[in-house]
Amino acid sequence: MLHDKPSDDKTDSPRDESDPDSLIDANLRRVYDDLVEDEVPERFRSLLEQLRRQEGDK
């Protein structure tokens, strides 16, 4: 899992929420975590299945 990696000194120290880098880091992490949790849309899965079948025919 991505979150199981050893932490470094930068992530263990308290962050100043007014620091722009900390705000950007927190927002990017939140967006990434939300994106990872999203399921693949059914239409996209269907298209992938069609491609797999076409590749199998060759």
Side-chain angles (χ1 to χ4, degrees):
M1 220 174 147
L2 292 176
H3 301 289
D4 293 339
K5 68 179 181 177
S7 58
D8 58 16
D9 292 338
K10 290 181 185 177
T11 57
D12 289 342
S13 62
R15 295 188 173 207
D16 179 9
E17 291 188 10
S18 64
D19 176 34
D21 289 340
S22 293
L23 291 172
I24 291 169
D25 182 54
N27 284 326
L28 286 173
R29 287 179 189 272
R30 188 182 70 244
V31 169
Y32 175 79
D33 288 343
D34 289 346
L35 183 63
V36 169
E37 292 175 4
D38 285 349
E39 288 189 31
V40 177
E42 179 60 36
R43 176 72 177 135
F44 188 68
R45 285 188 285 173
S46 175
L47 290 171
L48 288 173
E49 183 59 33
Q50 289 176 15
L51 287 171
R52 285 186 190 112
R53 279 185 263 142
Q54 287 177 2
E55 288 294 318
D57 292 342
K58 290 183 179 182

